[in-house]
Amino acid sequence: MARRSTSSSTGRPTGTAPSGPRNRTPQPVRLRRRTFGDVVKAFLAFVVLLVLVVGVPGALAVAVGWPLPRSAPSMDWLSQPIDVQTFLNALTVVVWLAWAQFTACVLVEVKAAVSGVGLPGRVPGAGPSQLLARQLVAALLLVGATAASFTPGLSQLGHSLEGNQKGTVATAQATPGILAQQQEQAKSTAAALAEQAGHAAAQAEQGGSTATHGATKYYRIQPPEGRHHDSLWEIAQRHLGDGRRYKEIYELNKDRIQPDGSRLSEASLIRPGWIMEMPGDAHGGELVENPDAHVSPEVRQQIGDYAQTGDHAQHQQHQERGGGQHAGGDGATAQITVPAQRQAGDTDAPAAHGTSTDSPSSSSSSSSFGLSEALLGAPLLAAGLLAALGRRRRQALWQSALGAVGGHRGMEPPIPAGDAQDVQDALLVGADPEGVRQLDRSLRGLAAALTAESRSLPVVYAAWLSHGDLHLQLAQPAGKPPAPWQLGQDQTFWTLSRADAERYEETDAAAPYPGLVSLGTMDDSRLLLNLEAVPGIVSLSGREADRAAVFASVAAELATNGWSDRMTITLVGFGADLTPLAPNRLRHLDDVEALFETMEAETRQRRGALGAADHHSVLTGRTGPAQHTRWAPHLVLLATQPSTDDAVRLAELAADAARLGIGYLVGSERDDLPGAAWAMEITPDGRLLAPLLGLELEAQLLPAVQQRAVVELFVEADPERDPDGPTTTPPFLVDISEQGRPAVYARLVGPYEIIGLDTPDGDRSPLLHEALALLLLHREGVHPRVLSSALWPRGVTEDVRDALLERLRGWLGTDPDGSPRLRADAAGRLTLAKSVVSDLDVLRSLYYEATQGKGVDSRAVRGRLLTDALVLVRGPLLADRAEGRYRWLTHEIVDAQLPLLVADIGLALSAFHLEKDRAEKAIEALGAALRTAPADERLWNELLRATHTTGDPDRLRALAADLIARSGARGLPPRTEALLDELLPTWRDGAAATG
């Protein structure tokens, strides 16, 4: 599919509908208007604080004076009677101590309120005193200009510790998108919804909205108060009863000329003095109607001029439709749930996972054959799992080869079946390795560029992948990004286009943001939350099974992602079975107490290490000379609901966690977890909601069935699971007799050739050859969706795929009995008839027969079979494949299997000749095998032994020198050194002379 137009400076493709990271203005802390009662309360609080903090010590100093003895008392003092003065002095000391404790409480509460970070520290033994201090400080700050931004939820914090209301452990600066972190009281939301419902009912009784009476309502954007800025979300919350209706205000005013000559192009970018036309059901004292005599002539003129702009017929229709919906129950529900912003033009848009221009569903067949839709829609997770699985299988092959005894070793990993096979197919279809590669290179390239400019990494809360472009959402403005990065929709977005990302090369920079993990998609954009940078705890509420699917997805992606280096992931209360995915990263703890013991020690250690290194945070340690030596993140996933005391204790640990590179994701049965900075909820229908962050995502999940199947794939590939290694029988044995001559013979080992078929005409020939190669390498069968995703990594429609399969079926033809050579098995997977054979099939069959079949009892047969097998080796697999094609081979392990198989054949044939003292024949066989497997240490060692048997020391020295030269700076392997010490004791002298 053709790619859509390039992104504008705001990070949005020109001419497209708004997508995820653009029009999701969050709901910040609701700025309550100050009343006369608030002023009175604040004044009284100030008086009380003044009396208690200043008046009490002053009164004691004047009335009592110094209460303690002015000299050291003798032992006789203890036997003296207690007079009135002694009693008053003792009482004065108690009052002084109480005053000191209360003053400490006031200082602690003021510090926590002003900083806005962390729960206030607990003063020992000061429960009632600290609660009183908290209430007085909160009442005093409520009238301050920055009360809403400095003290979110402060007046409720004292009650949250007793479990009555929700506390906030930390807040982040109010920035667009998900960065407004302040927690709003649940009762405020309920009251707003009740107010909205009541207003809708009143409108229904009146038969329409105020728009029907001819009065259009307007709102003038207010100037900022302290750190609080007006937003469309807050305007919608105050005047429409639901912040999520900000889109209606945006649509009414989009691209209209404002009084300062600019236009509204982003819902999150509004300026003081701008005028917003409001939906007809808007209400509230700050609104003005046109005409309105209660505003200044200047404002009235501006509103009048603004009213002349825009398509009023469309606006009026929108108002009437909005008023009608609000009057009816169904319409109100639709507005509250806010469907995803999708327009007809978006059907040609690329998928959210980056490089693919086709969503998984667009290449699906009419039947999904049981493939996991959860994994099909998780391209980064699938790519990570697939890459990790490939590494595990290669490791198993090498360990099996190096640890085998008597030549019997397993060359084939077990073929998965059932759910494991379906999950493997889903991984192959859904994986986006190119997207992972671009993300990794882009982030490391950014770190390298900042290092070159002697700049620190900015704090990144989230990353958005949208149409291949990468948007980093910063905690606060960090200046101009290094090229080719650009500023996005505002100062808190750094954006990299897909075209620029593709030009990035590999760099040795440390991974800057390894804590990024996919949460889900919003419209056409995929959100990755940086768990490491969250200013406190991220809580996840919802049903236990739904939460478990989110936790499993997060754990699996963090354990296998391709954009991180070192990392520790601690799973508490779940995930013991997930550790096979990455034993070096994942660790499991049984309960919260074990977690506290671990994390309290690590938190202290990290604080000390940062201080010793003079770093403010781990981010400053990820650039510069020390970037590869420290600052690996530690992410904690706690699935079980902590008790109230444990939650408070956890919140205290997490208060400084973002600076230390530690992140916490905690499961909760409710949405009021004490100390949660960001609260999310997973719904039964798979939506991830975070209203205060402005998020409503299609969640990325790993349900229990798929989780077990993924783990099964890794367990089956574990080289330590079975000491005998995987099965030694090839998946497809060929009849190697004269009667078994195939109808179609394909040469894959070396240049690609096909014997028995005419070369297809036209441009489809390369596709047909590639499809046949994939089927030949998977005799167990290939899912149609796996085939289509391999041939068209960017996606394809069903009709194009089906047309290719028909051409492939016609090209391969039928057997003499009339059966097609391309067929589908009972599960719908495509398989080849036994009459279609490759040289790799023959190679495996020859080696199997020589070592475990007919050659076991006949030396002559074994020699002939091994010689025939080695003759078939003409080079690496598909040596002449075109650049850009056969990219699916990166998911295969055949590139590791083939060299090992050739080496085994060479070793077996060498041993066959050495039994009869035919050293030259053995050397010839080993040399032929080394042309395909030049890095196999076993072949070189056997070549040294065979050369030693010739009795020619000069030839052995020459071979040793050649081997030393090939080893380079890394030196010879220990086994090879030991063998040379045995066969050629003077080899080190020659190596030193050469060096």
Side-chain angles (χ1 to χ4, degrees), residues 27-38:
Q27 177 181 355
V29 171
R30 204 171 171 187
L31 189 63
R32 189 170 69 88
R33 297 180 64 85
R34 296 183 292 275
T35 65
F36 178 74
D38 293 333

Side-chain angles (χ1 to χ4, degrees), residues 494-507:
W494 285 6
T495 300
L496 182 69
S497 69
R498 175 178 172 178
D500 290 331
E502 290 174 346
R503 290 196 289 268
Y504 263 120
E505 301 293 339
E506 297 286 350
T507 177

